[in-house]
């Protein structure tokens, strides 16, 4: 039949076949279907070939549409299909082949007609019609009636899978052409339909039924550009609860969170609670047997949501949210790390904006306590060290010195070499942490009962006890710390104001600072000796040059120990044949530094060395 039609179409292009001939073909087809299909239906395999019959008729209708155009899609021709004894097959093929414009025009009639078809799986026709109307819509005056009639027909089937498949086909139409109230009602109808069918079957959802339910959710998320529209519906979260635990609920919630995170801008405050509820759905779907990859996905999604929480909200609301999240996701380490970091940021930024009041002091105390209490839950020692340093810094900015000292004390303890930290941190990174920690410690006023430079002294002792495999790593620490302690002793630039206010003229402070300086000098002497013993001239020159330059920075006192050190460094440079321009630069800087200090003999000694 199809081959004959295509041949005729070809002839029509050359004017050999009139349009009336196609009308005859259509009438003959209707007659053949009415007479022939009852015979086919007696064959046991009919249900298997039914789709092929519909596909064949669909191709025929495509050909007629091409040949006759709009003149074919009349209400009269549609009524002939509906009134046929084989209306199910004919209407199904008709809807699939009908151009979307004509489908929209005849939507009301088709919806009414489908409900009266007997002896054919009308869910297939509803699916075809729903997909077409999602593309074209319906006349505005008929939308409510079409949806009402269609949903009455959709609800006929007790088969859960068919019910959800038809709902999926129509949900895109509802989202595009109806308001949110209608969408909420339809989602409520889907929930009610599922519950009633589950009560009748008294069985849990089968895998195939779960898959079509997930497909329905995917369609809803895809068709809704603004995810907050879905979250504003009363029935959306209840719909998610229809997914059984653990895997289906996990998958459904995960898709929703991905959509939420992909939205532009921060999460609107009004929708934060529903989003966090979906996070809980996802997290609570995990079990002890869930693969690590699933746990990692949940952690990443919750972190994505936290990053979308606005930092412009009321600070108390932000802190309350972080507290709730810590309680609900206490087993997800990455989430806890992010919460601590966000709370440190909240503390620091708020401290920069606010003046001290009883209310702000209470807020800062709560913030810093939240951070300090949460950090021990972090199992990774490297992350824990980083967080203690951040905690100390933010607590100092908030003038919570007790929490700051406690955090930095824990950070100093963590730097003591042990196996776990060794696995996570390389030597150079370890020293970088020590440098960062020393800079933070300097911002903290010393505890009166512990004496000056207590934490800094402990830190230097720990570093001095460390065995470095690479001299370059040790050099980085000494290049930072020795000039720093020299500036502290001189109360020069770069030193926090509280040092001047608390310790200017304080003998105990001077003695403690000199103890730290002597400790560093011992380290320098040992490193120089090791380098000289190794005959590594290149390393000796590098170390001597960099240390000399750092010691000669403005503001560093030129006491006897420092002068001896500089003399030793210059001797090394001369001995190792360092570039003359570098040696001359260091000597010139030293001479400039010693102007007016009655060190003529020392300068003469230096000049004689470099001649």
């Amino acid at each position: 039949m199809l081959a004959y039609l295509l041949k005729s179409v070809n002839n029509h292009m050359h004017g050999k076949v009139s349009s009336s001939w196609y009308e005859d073909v259509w009438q003959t087809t209707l007659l053949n279907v009415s007479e022939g299909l009852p015979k086919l239906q007696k064959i046991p395999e009919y249900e298997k070939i039914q789709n092929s019959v519909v596909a064949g008729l669909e191709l025929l209708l495509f050909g007629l549409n091409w040949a006759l155009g709009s003149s074919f899609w009349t209400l009269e021709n549609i009524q002939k299909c509906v009134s046929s004894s084989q209306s199910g097959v004919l209407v199904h093929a008709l809807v699939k082949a009908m151009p979307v414009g004509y489908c929209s025009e005849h939507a009301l009639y088709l919806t009414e007609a489908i409900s009266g078809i007997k002896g054919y799986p009308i869910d297939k026709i509803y699916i075809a019609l729903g997909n077409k109307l999602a593309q074209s819509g319906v006349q505005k005056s008929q939308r409510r009636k079409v949806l009402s009639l269609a949903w009455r027909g959709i609800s006929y089937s007790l088969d859960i899978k068919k019910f959800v498949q038809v709902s999926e086909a129509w949900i895109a139409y509802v989202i595009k052409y109806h308001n949110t109230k209608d969408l909420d009602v339809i989602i409520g109808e889907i929930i009610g339909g599922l519950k009633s069918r589950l009560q009748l079957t008294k069985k849990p959802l089968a895998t195939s039924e779960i898959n079509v339910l997930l497909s329905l959710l995917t369609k809803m998320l895809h068709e809704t550009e603004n995810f907050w529209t879905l979250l504003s519906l009363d029935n959306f979260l209840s719909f998610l609860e229809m997914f059984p635990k653990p895997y289906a609920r996990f998958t459904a919630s995960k898709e929703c969170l991905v959509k939420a995170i992909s939205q532009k801008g921060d999460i609107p405050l009004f929708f934060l609670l529903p989003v966090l509820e979906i996070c809980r759905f996802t997290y609570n779907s995990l079990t002890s047997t869930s693969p690590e990859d699933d746990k990692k996905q949940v952690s990443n999604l919750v972190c994505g949501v936290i990053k979308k929480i606005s930092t412009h909200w009321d600070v108390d609301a932000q802190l309350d949210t972080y507290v709730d999240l810590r309680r609900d996701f206490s087993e997800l380490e990455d989430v806890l790390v992010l919460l601590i970091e966000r709370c440190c940021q909240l503390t620091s930024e708020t401290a920069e904006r606010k003046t001290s009041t009883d209310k702000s002091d209470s807020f800062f105390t709560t913030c810093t306590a939240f951070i300090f209490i949460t950090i021990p839950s972090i199992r990774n020692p490297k992350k824990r060290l980083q967080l203690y340093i951040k905690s100390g810094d933010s607590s100092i900015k908030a003038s919570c010195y007790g929490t700051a000292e406690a955090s930095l004390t824990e950070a100093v303890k963590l730097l003591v070499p042990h196996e776990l930290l060794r696995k996570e941190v390389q030597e150079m990174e370890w020293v970088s942490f020590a440098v960062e920690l020393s800079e933070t410690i300097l911002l903290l006023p010393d505890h009166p009962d512990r004496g000056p430079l207590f934490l800094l002294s402990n830190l230097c002792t720990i570093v001095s006890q460390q065995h470095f495999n690479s001299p370059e790593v040790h050099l980085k620490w000494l290049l930072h710390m020795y000039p720093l302690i020299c500036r502290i002793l001189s109360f020069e630039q770069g030193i926090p104001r509280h040092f001047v206010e608390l310790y200017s003229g304080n003998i105990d402070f001077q003695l403690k600072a000199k103890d730290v300086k002597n400790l560093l000098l011992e380290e320098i002497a040992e490193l120089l000796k090791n380098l000289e013993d190794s005959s590594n001239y290149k390393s000796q020159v590098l170390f001597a040059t960099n240390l000399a330059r750092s010691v000669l920075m403005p503001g560093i006192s030129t006491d006897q120990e420092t002068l001896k050190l500089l003399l030793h460094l210059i001797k090394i440079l001369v001995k190792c044949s360092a570039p003359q321009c570098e040696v001359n630069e260091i000597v010139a800087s030293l001479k400039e530094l010693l102007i007016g200090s009655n060190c003529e003999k020392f300068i003469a000694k230096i000049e004689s060395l470099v001649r």
Side-chain angles (χ1 to χ4, degrees):
M1 179 178 70
L2 290 172
Y4 182 68
L5 175 65
L6 292 174
K7 182 177 179 181
S8 300
V9 168
N10 185 56
N11 290 337
H12 178 67
M13 291 176 66
H14 295 85
K16 296 179 181 179
V17 177
S18 65
S19 297
S20 61
W21 184 87
Y22 289 97
E23 295 286 354
D24 293 338
V25 168
W26 177 234
Q27 297 303 323
T28 305
T29 301
L30 289 174
L31 181 64
N32 288 340
V33 168
S34 298
E35 294 179 354
L37 277 185
K39 298 175 184 177
L40 282 176
Q41 287 167 352
K42 296 176 182 178
I43 301 173
E45 293 82 7
Y46 173 69
E47 287 189 6
K48 295 181 180 178
I49 65 171
Q50 190 178 68
N51 289 338
S52 299
V53 174
V54 172
L57 286 169
E58 185 182 357
L59 285 173
L60 171 65
L61 289 164
F62 276 134
L64 290 171
N65 175 63
W66 184 82
L68 299 176
S70 61
S71 63
F72 176 72
W73 303 105
T74 62
L75 184 59
E76 181 184 357
N77 276 336
I78 296 172
Q79 288 173 334
K80 286 178 183 178
C81 292
V82 173
S83 61
S84 169
S85 61
Q86 299 299 320
S87 58
V89 170
L90 287 166
V91 172
H92 189 191
L94 188 79
V95 171
K96 291 185 75 174
M98 187 181 290
V100 291
Y102 300 116
C103 199
S104 174
E105 182 182 343
H106 301 297
L108 183 58
Y109 177 77
L110 287 168
T111 310
E112 292 173 333
I114 293 170
S115 61
I117 293 173
K118 307 295 182 184
Y120 189 84
I122 61 172
D123 56 285
K124 294 182 178 180
I125 309 177
Y126 275 121
I127 289 172
L129 182 60
N131 288 331
K132 280 289 173 68
L133 294 183
Q135 300 176 52
S136 61
V138 178
Q139 295 176 30
K140 195 170 184 179
S141 60
Q142 298 180 354
R143 286 177 185 174
R144 284 286 181 87
K145 192 168 184 181
V146 167
L147 182 60
S148 177
L149 286 169
W151 207 259
R152 195 182 307 159
I154 288 168
S155 302
Y156 88 97
S157 176
L158 296 178
D159 185 292
I160 292 177
K161 186 175 179 180
K162 289 180 180 178
F163 171 69
V164 177
Q165 283 176 328
V166 179
S167 301
E168 179 191 347
W170 279 79
I171 201 70
Y173 160 74
V174 177
I175 290 170
K176 287 182 178 179
Y177 301 105
H178 286 259
N179 57 37
T180 54
K181 184 178 179 181
D182 290 343
L183 176 59
D184 198 25
V185 169
I186 291 300
I187 293 176
E189 291 287 337
I190 294 172
I191 295 169
L194 283 171
K195 286 181 176 178
S196 62
R197 286 161 178 77
L198 287 170
Q199 287 174 352
L200 285 172
T201 60
K202 295 183 178 178
K203 293 179 181 178
L205 288 172
T207 302
S208 59
E209 294 166 344
I210 291 172
N211 288 338
V212 295
L213 197 59
L214 284 170
S215 181
L216 169 60
L217 174 64
T218 302
K219 176 70 77 68
M220 290 168 64
L221 295 173
H222 176 73
E223 296 295 339
T224 309
E225 184 176 346
N226 187 348
F227 179 64
W228 314 129
T229 301
L230 285 178
L231 274 193
S232 68
L233 306 179
D234 294 336
N235 288 312
F236 185 70
L237 290 182
S238 299
F239 174 70
L240 289 183
E241 290 176 347
M242 294 303 299
F243 290 88
K245 295 179 182 180
Y247 180 73
R249 180 79 62 85
F250 169 76
T251 306
S253 303
K254 184 179 72 173
E255 287 194 25
C256 291
L257 290 179
V258 169
K259 183 75 173 181
I261 293 168
S262 69
Q263 300 297 292
K264 292 181 180 179
D266 296 325
I267 298 173
L269 180 58
F270 182 77
F271 297 114
L272 180 62
L273 289 180
V275 172
L276 295 182
E277 189 64 23
I278 297 173
C279 288
R280 294 183 189 99
F281 283 166
T282 314
Y283 178 64
N284 293 333
S285 299
L286 296 175
T287 65
S288 57
T289 58
S290 296
E292 284 300 318
D293 184 56
D294 284 358
K295 295 177 183 177
K296 186 67 177 175
Q297 286 185 59
V298 173
S299 186
N300 289 340
L301 288 169
V302 176
C303 286
V305 168
I306 293 170
K307 291 174 183 176
K308 300 279 283 185
I309 295 175
S310 174
T311 56
H312 302 296
W313 297 344
D314 177 73
V315 291
D316 292 307
Q318 288 185 62
L319 181 58
D320 290 342
T321 303
Y322 297 152
V323 171
D324 291 342
L325 287 166
R326 180 183 64 181
R327 180 197 61 220
D328 294 334
F329 304 103
S330 57
E331 297 300 316
L332 300 178
E333 183 160 313
D334 288 346
V335 172
L336 294 181
V337 169
L338 182 57
L339 287 174
I340 294 167
E341 290 175 344
R342 292 282 294 221
C343 201
C344 286
Q345 180 185 350
L346 175 65
T347 305
S348 299
E349 291 178 354
T350 307
E352 290 172 3
R353 295 194 302 266
K354 286 193 173 184
T355 55
S356 180
T357 63
D358 290 342
K359 186 177 179 181
S360 64
D361 291 346
S362 174
F363 170 77
F364 291 135
T365 301
T366 307
C367 269
T368 54
F370 169 89
I371 296 165
F372 187 72
I373 291 169
T374 310
I375 293 175
S377 303
I378 309 303
R379 294 180 292 275
N380 185 304
K382 176 182 173 181
K383 289 180 180 177
R384 198 158 70 246
L385 175 59
Q386 290 172 314
L387 293 172
Y388 272 128
I389 296 173
K390 285 185 178 180
S391 171
D393 181 63
S394 61
S395 298
I396 290 168
K397 290 176 181 175
S399 300
C400 295
Y401 297 125
T403 309
E405 183 183 19
S407 296
L408 296 175
T409 300
E410 291 300 320
V412 171
K413 289 178 183 177
L414 270 175
L415 267 183
V416 177
H418 60 78
E419 233 175 281
L420 283 175
L421 195 60
R422 284 289 194 184
K423 290 179 181 178
E424 295 289 333
V425 178
Q426 300 296 320
E427 275 191 345
M428 186 60 81
E429 192 176 11
W430 187 90
V431 165
S432 297
F433 282 134
V435 168
E436 184 181 0
L437 184 52
S438 69
E439 291 172 346
T440 308
I441 287 172
L442 283 181
L443 300 175
L444 177 68
D446 286 312
H447 193 285
D449 296 337
R450 293 187 172 187
L453 300 176
F454 177 80
L455 281 174
L456 195 64
S457 176
N458 284 352
L459 176 61
C460 291
T461 302
I462 287 170
V463 177
S464 68
Q465 294 169 351
Q466 172 81 345
H467 173 71
F468 294 102
N469 295 317
S470 168
E472 286 77 12
V473 174
H474 200 178
L475 172 63
K476 178 178 179 178
W477 167 253
L478 295 172
L479 287 177
H480 164 76
M481 202 62 214
Y482 186 78
L484 179 63
I485 201 68
C486 289
R487 284 203 301 275
I488 289 173
L489 277 164
S490 305
F491 293 104
E492 291 291 346
Q493 60 184 20
I495 300 305
R497 185 183 300 171
H498 64 260
F499 275 101
V500 181
E501 294 174 350
L502 291 174
Y503 302 125
S504 182
N506 187 308
I507 297 175
D508 289 339
F509 174 79
Q510 294 286 336
L511 292 174
K512 192 62 181 179
K514 284 182 179 179
D515 287 342
V516 176
K517 182 179 178 181
N518 291 334
L519 182 65
L520 293 168
L521 283 170
E522 290 174 9
E523 285 187 67
I524 291 170
E526 184 181 354
L527 181 57
L528 287 172
K529 184 178 182 303
N530 292 336
L531 287 174
E532 289 179 46
D533 291 344
S534 68
S535 300
N536 188 333
Y537 295 127
K538 185 176 180 181
S539 295
Q540 289 182 58
V541 170
L542 177 66
F543 178 77
T545 304
N546 289 333
L547 185 57
R549 284 173 175 163
S550 63
V551 171
L552 288 168
M553 289 173 64
I556 294 180
S557 63
T558 53
D559 54 20
Q560 290 299 313
E561 292 88 353
T562 303
L563 292 177
K564 286 179 183 178
L565 174 61
L566 287 168
L567 179 62
H568 190 177
L569 295 176
I570 293 171
K571 284 180 179 179
I572 291 173
L573 292 174
V574 173
K575 175 186 170 185
C576 297
S577 302
Q580 191 63 39
C581 59
E582 291 186 2
V583 178
N584 291 340
E585 178 191 339
I586 291 170
V587 172
S589 299
L590 177 58
K591 288 168 69 176
E592 185 178 347
L593 193 65
L594 295 176
I595 292 174
S597 59
N598 299 320
C599 294
E600 290 80 5
K601 289 182 179 180
F602 180 79
I603 294 172
K605 192 171 184 179
I606 294 292
E607 289 178 338
S608 66
L609 275 174
V610 299
R611 284 188 187 133

